[in-house]
Amino acid sequence: MLQCIFLLSDSGEVMLEKQWTGHQVDRSICSWFWGHVLSQGGSSKVPPVIASPTHYLFQIVREGITFLGCSQVEMPPLMALDFLGRVADVLSDYLGSLDEDLIKDNFVIVYELLDELMDNGFPLTTEPNILKEMIAPPNLVNKVLNAVTGTSSSMSNTLPSATASTVPWRTSNTKHANNEVYVDLVEQLDATVSRDGHLVNCEIYGEVQVNSHLSGLPDLTLSFANPSILNDVRFHPCVRFRPWESHQILSFVPPDGQFKLMSYRVANLKNTPIYVKPQFSSDAGTCRVHVLVGMRCDPGKQIDSITVEFQLPSCVVSTDLTSNHGMVNVLADKVCSWSIGRIPKDKGPSLSGTLRLAAGLERMHVFPTFVVGFKIMGVALSGLQIDKLDLLNLPYRPYKGFRALTRAGIYEVRG
Amino acid sequence: MFPQFGPTAASITKASTMVFRIGTDAHLYDDPEDVSIGPLLDSKFDSEKVDALKRLLALIAQGCDVVNFFPQVVKNVASQSLEVKKLVYLYLLHYAEKRPNEALLSINCYQKDLADLNPLVRAWALRAMAGIRLHVVAPLVLAAVGKCARDPSAYVRKCAANALPKLYDLRQEQTYGSIEELIGILLNDNSPGVVGAAAAAFNYICPTNLVLIGRGFRRLCEILPDVDEWGQIILIGILLRYAVARYGLPSRSSVGVSSENRSSFSKTISVNVDALPENRFGMTEGQVDDSNFISLLFSSYVEGQDEFLLRSNCTTKSSDFLESPGLSCGENHDVKILLQCTSPLLWSQNSAVVLAAAGVHWIVAPREDIKRIINPILFLLRSANSSLYVVLCNLLVFAKAMPSLFAPYFKNFFVHSSDSYHIRAMKLEILSIIATDSSIPLIFQEFQDYLKDPDRRFVADTVHVIGECAQRLPKVSATCLEGLLNLIRQESSENIMNMEEEGAVLSQAVVALKTIVKDSPAKHEKVIIRLARCLDIIKVPAARALIVWMIGEYCTVGRDFLQTIPVILQYLAQHFSSENMETKQQILNTTAKVVVCSQTEDMHTCIKVLIYVLELARCDLNYDVRDRARIVSKLLACHVNSQNAEGGRTHPVLNPSLHYELAESMLGRKVKPISHVPACSRFYLPGSLSHIVLHPAPGYESLPKPCSLANVDLHCSLEDLHEEKVTGDKCNSPGSSYTENGSSDSDSLSGSSEKERSDYDSQGPDSNENEGAASVDGGRGNGTSRLLLADVEDMQTSGALIHFSDVDAEYNELNQAADGNGSSSSHLNVSELLSKEKLESWLGQQQSMSEPRCPAEGISLPSTARITIRETDLTIKPKVHKLLDPTSGNGLGVEYSFSSEVSGISPELVCLEIYFENHSTEPLTKISVMDEGSSKSQDSVAQKLEIAEISVTPTQMQGIVPMEEIPCLHPGEGIKRFLHVRFHHHLLPIKISICCSGKKYPAKLRPDVGYFIKPLFLDLKTFVDKESQLPGMFEYTRRCTFTAHIGDLHSERFDGSASSDKVLVVAQRLASEILSNANISLVAVTIPVSVTDAHVKDVDDVSGLCLRFGCEISSSSIPCLLTVTAEGRYSGPLTVVLRINCEESIFGLNLLNRIGAVFA
């Protein structure tokens, strides 16, 4: 059981504490934790589960904010970490995004949420839809009311009926003027290209995101034209397992609003839409860099917002980089970012220049990894196709929309 | 871009953030104390209260202690506004433990809220009530939870389940039984959400009580996919635990297969550690998994690991397990169901659920089915970085046990640039474990890329892993050697910038080479030579030292090497003085080893080198080197001397051969390579915290012993069927209470009282006697007490002391009619129920037969007698408390005791008898008692009064009614006075001051709950009536031990026969104890009557002795009923059950505790 949670800002200041059990955890644990983080050189270097002298600590970092949970007894660590992740999700959903000021400004709502999310160290209500019915998210009307009259309650007076229903993610009495449902395939291409140019690993991680605004209690069935290409799947709790097991059909009662219906993985792709070819040649304390970017196989739609980023090795003291297309920036933390945008028809974008190495170094012996980013609207690179979406239980004909989008996930080219 | 707009842009952003912050609570967080909070809390307006509470919350968030506002906040708990309520709860729960007394005052409000129509209010009230965690209210909370566990709203029931661990945390043993019972009820709930929370409670409170799970195992399995994700995690673990305890580890699971050599087709197998290495059953992949490791792993999973390890050599034991009754397919069916229900969960979005489900398959699934967990686990690698770490930790152990499972998926463990160091290290380790001959080329290619990584620590790890791979797969060792040697040359030729980091890579490379060479040094002779040649370019001390060590260690491996050794030694000797300490020591060792072991032709040179090095070392700055040189020279004295003999230096060598042998054994012998033992031999269940931190975290429970539950379950499954029938219908209407007799009443008695009643009833058949006999016996027994058969009405009229009647029958009747509850506590089995019903129907007949009650022969009747004990017979000694000690009161001693008189002035006043005594030698004058509060006034007391407002409403501020002054008290003289005191609360003391001879002495009057009541005279019938109106929430019980009677029995010598008189004595003693501690009246005493010709029954059993007392709270005239039941034998300590029925719950509880304290 999680005994408490602390929200720490990026400077280690405790913004909030919420105790869930009677055994209160003293704040001093936070200073221990922060000391530990500093000694390890940043929170990314600290493992997410730490055994401190008095407590077991679970930490995740989102947008610079550390969510620190404490427990003194055995509990599944993934449960703790997933829960902290859920807290972060819910808060950023409520507040629009996550940052120190937003949390401080809305600390009462944060408290109310934390109280509802967990009871006595065990998660109570984590379903965002129900939470929103219990505790109203801060919106403009509320704010204005609050500013003008000083009275506005974010607490709802009634228990959301969904808490008792068999579909706890949905309220039964939803009403929409425009009934519509959108299904988006959002895919990420993960690829690793080795130093000698081989495609080591290439796979797609995709999500089926549904945005549903349907009245009543609709029952949807979504089927794919080629479900056999999916390697692994994970489902939103609303998906029924049986139909998927037997016919690979997604049958579900959707929550209201935006949600992630399913995530999937398609492994072992053979090709990437673009290529990035870096070359290094060093001599006498300088290193010449030449990076070429080009289209490998046309996905059929425009490839947008291509970026190439790489971290300069610590032995590089200064750079002189130019490109024939796009902008090159070297940021303060020695990250070089080259934003290309679209690939022009007439020429292949290239980046070239020299890196000066630190005194005494003849050649460069470590090489950076290039992280590539791109976006393709309208295409699911895995080739997954939605066959049809059937709606049962509905007296009306809603509008159905389908979209696809692919962007680069972890696309790495080793230099 | 446009620097001139910079400031404007900045101010615009500033302005826009200001705009965004308008209407939020930002100002409250920034400066919570800019207005004074106190008055706001007392405001009439909810909005102001909300404002104040938010400020308090902000202060809590910032870590300030604002507990001093507690009383003011508590008052607001009664607010109607939900927002105020929520904020108050948030505050209250944070501080309740620090201010228990004030927190108590909120209880009444919760009680009220628990009856609210809005389920949200009920749930909140329950959560808050359970959350304040006070021992005194535990019974109240238990009753509340019991009520909420049957609430129509699933949300409230879920909160009830969550409240159970809070209740359990108070560590009150008397509640444990009822808590477990409630868990059973909640686990049977219809709503999956409730089941999840109940599972969590189960896991926290009684994880070993698997019988509870056995009842509904299948139902729980079926409901599992619908339970919320967090509940699933816990429930999966519980079901697995049950399955293992019940059916053991199936033979076809991984562990079963690994130890299958003994009996090829036994149905189940218990963990069997002594798997022989040749067990290679069922390994189809051609790859051999480490069955020893699997056995070790699984034996760590189950309870009592050490025991199993001990047993590992004892073959008879384990075959016993095998031959224990084989389990039929039907039973294994349960395991199958569990696997079926958990396999869709492998698709869950929650990674903890996936891991938990994978754990079930890992442990109980047949070997060939384990494959299905691979893809889901690999998909988990997509989770956020933090979860990834945990997932990899678990995967590592899976991979170690069955590398073949993951071998084809090696690409998933390739490192990304975004991975953190921990994750990279873990991925490398997994890669090294699952690498096969077919995949290793690809993996090595990948490693090649890693060697160029900017993170040199990671590179060092990679090099290390390359060495391990080469060791595991001898086929690739040649390639590895080449690569590593190249790497060494490359690395050392580089102009190294960061010595430390690069050094690590280099020394790891040498270590890796060493591991490869170690296995077959003869084959790798050339490698050692090449390494030695590298000494010129390698600068890293650690690497150099290791190379030198290798030269010494493998100096005998081959001819070529042997020839080069003298040269190498000369080289080393030359550089000795410029070496690092570490290397110096190794040079010393190596030269000594060479001298001892090698048969090189050029022995002469070697010895010379040794002498030279020893000379150098003797003058070394480092004492460690000097010492080592001394040891070596002593050890090798004979070697050295045989050469030096002609030089004339002779050492007295006593036994040269001994020296030779000593040197040989210390330096020459090859150390037997330590066999590959897993670094940590203890493993924890997959997915547990202990697994990550590598020590058992508190509360870690390993799997129960396989098949340990088998016996228990058999009889329980019978019961199961009945249970299901009974509870099945009930579950359909969770709102209505669980009634047994069909009558429905939403209020129900708490579990403990049910149990008590069933005890009560079951007495009936035991006592084998009738009334007539009883009365005769009673009459003969005691001459002082007259005895007659009488009706209830007679009681007050006559001077009779003892009345006999069939109380129990009446009592039962009344109870049946009144409460209609008697819910089937799950431990009652059907046969018991039947007999109870029979008894009741029979009792009904008995009633209708009515007078004259002629005892029919052969019929057993529960026989008890009712007596009235005159209060005059009882010795009532009110307790005397000290108010002022003569030493501190300048000779004036003051004592007080509570008087049973009721104050004539106001019902809210309590009468005290105060006794003043002059212990000094001088007369004391002008003695009076004053209220400290009224003189000192308002601040503290006023506040307290306000708090007290909730339960006690004071009409006057005055604490005590002024007492007339005592003009003079002579030495040795004593005087008694009555004092009327108004206590603000029945627990809080009031401060007074005693004035004497012009001086003031502060003192505290402590209230006694027992005197806030006045006697209430009832007859038994009204008593029982009233009692039946106050069930459930208004009833509290407590158990204590009573011993005071033992002395009495010994002092008054009875002749052993008249046992009922002894019971009478016990009753008297009990009554007088209670009467002297509380202003209460005795309503009735029911004593069991036994026959002297006791052929059936134990004569000294007092069980059934029951005293009933009545009183009412003097301030509010709320009746308060006390029932005292004794159990046990009077020769020893008795167990006394106190029960209070009172509407005013807090008061009742405190009174109960007060009376309980009498016996303690």
Side-chain angles (χ1 to χ4, degrees), chain A residues 113-360:
Chain A
L113 281 172
L114 289 176
D115 193 54
E116 197 51 48
L117 278 164
M118 188 164 254
D119 184 17
N120 197 39
F122 188 74
L124 180 66
T125 314
T126 51
E127 199 55 53
N129 285 308
I130 300 184
L131 282 173
K132 279 194 184 151
E133 268 181 71
M134 282 179 150
I135 303 157
N139 55 21
L140 202 61
V141 179
N142 258 345
K143 282 183 187 173
V144 170
L145 259 180
N146 198 358
V148 175
T149 62
T151 55
S152 89
S153 166
S154 58
M155 293 304 299
S156 146
N157 283 342
T158 50
L159 183 72
S161 56
T163 50
S165 81
T166 48
V167 280
W169 51 86
R170 185 180 181 89
T171 40
S172 48
N173 47 6
T174 332
K175 285 222 169 60
H176 290 284
N178 296 323
N179 286 298
E180 46 197 14
V181 54
Y182 297 98
V183 181
D184 296 353
L185 290 182
V186 181
E187 302 201 331
Q188 282 183 27
L189 176 88
D190 291 0
T192 312
V193 179
S194 72
R195 196 146 281 132
D196 45 7
H198 286 298
L199 188 60
V200 174
N201 205 359
C202 182
E203 63 178 41
I204 291 278
Y205 166 76
E207 288 178 0
V208 181
Q209 291 182 354
V210 178
N211 196 351
S212 109
H213 298 282
L214 299 171
S215 312
L217 204 67
D219 201 330
L220 310 188
T221 349
L222 180 70
S223 56
F224 297 107
N226 47 353
S228 56
I229 65 165
L230 302 175
N231 278 52
D232 306 310
V233 284
R234 288 172 84 175
F235 298 124
H236 188 271
C238 68
V239 176
R240 302 188 182 100
F241 294 128
R242 283 278 156 68
W244 177 262
E245 265 175 330
S246 50
H247 301 102
Q248 315 242 288
I249 289 171
L250 291 169
S251 157
F252 58 99
V253 176
D256 205 43
Q258 177 88 32
F259 69 101
K260 189 170 86 183
L261 178 66
M262 161 187 177
S263 51
Y264 57 88
R265 194 168 75 126
V266 181
N268 296 326
L269 263 73
K270 294 285 172 271
N271 238 329
T272 55
I274 57 172
Y275 66 85
V276 174
K277 280 186 182 158
Q279 278 179 336
F280 289 91
S281 57
S282 340
D283 79 306
T286 55
C287 179
R288 281 204 61 76
V289 194
H290 192 69
V291 187
L292 273 178
V293 176
M295 191 109 72
R296 176 168 279 147
C297 58
D298 195 350
K301 300 264 175 170
Q302 185 76 46
I303 305 176
D304 268 329
S305 39
I306 301 174
T307 56
V308 176
E309 271 190 2
F310 61 100
Q311 169 89 45
L312 293 167
S314 56
C315 57
V316 174
V317 283
S318 69
T319 58
D320 173 23
L321 298 168
T322 51
S323 68
N324 65 351
H325 184 86
M327 291 239 299
V328 185
N329 279 316
V330 180
L331 308 174
D333 50 349
K334 278 192 160 181
V335 172
C336 177
S337 107
W338 176 25
S339 56
I340 299 168
R342 292 180 181 178
I343 297 179
K345 290 247 160 38
D346 46 345
K347 56 180 178 184
S350 72
L351 171 86
S352 55
T354 51
L355 309 173
R356 277 195 79 77
L357 305 182

Side-chain angles (χ1 to χ4, degrees), chain B residues 90-105:
Chain B
L90 281 172
Y91 175 93
L92 214 67
L93 293 188
H94 196 84
Y95 286 119
E97 234 164 346
K98 288 189 188 156
R99 303 292 280 264
N101 283 337
E102 281 99 328
L104 265 181
L105 301 176

Side-chain angles (χ1 to χ4, degrees), chain B residues 63-132:
Chain B
C64 305
D65 191 12
V66 285
V67 71
N68 48 336
F69 289 101
F70 201 94
Q72 280 168 286
V73 176
V74 164
K75 261 190 340 184
N76 289 317
V77 80
S79 163
Q80 284 307 306
S81 152
L82 275 183
E83 183 160 34
V84 175
K85 234 186 234 300
K86 184 78 191 176
L87 292 169
V88 168
Y89 287 164
L90 281 172
Y91 175 93
L92 214 67
L93 293 188
H94 196 84
Y95 286 119
E97 234 164 346
K98 288 189 188 156
R99 303 292 280 264
N101 283 337
E102 281 99 328
L104 265 181
L105 301 176
S106 57
I107 295 284
N108 272 338
C109 251
Y110 301 139
Q111 300 262 39
K112 212 170 70 200
D113 280 356
L114 280 174
D116 200 285
L117 283 178
N118 186 345
L120 199 58
V121 175
R122 291 201 298 270
W124 282 357
L126 181 68
R127 284 175 64 186
M129 189 167 165
I132 62 171

Side-chain angles (χ1 to χ4, degrees), chain A residues 15 27 74 115-116 190 412, chain B residues 61 127 155 382 417 690:
Chain A
M15 292 187 286
R27 248 166 206 256
E74 168 74 41
D115 193 54
E116 197 51 48
D190 291 0
E412 293 178 348
Chain B
R127 284 175 64 186
Y155 184 74
R382 289 232 143 250
S417 62
S690 310

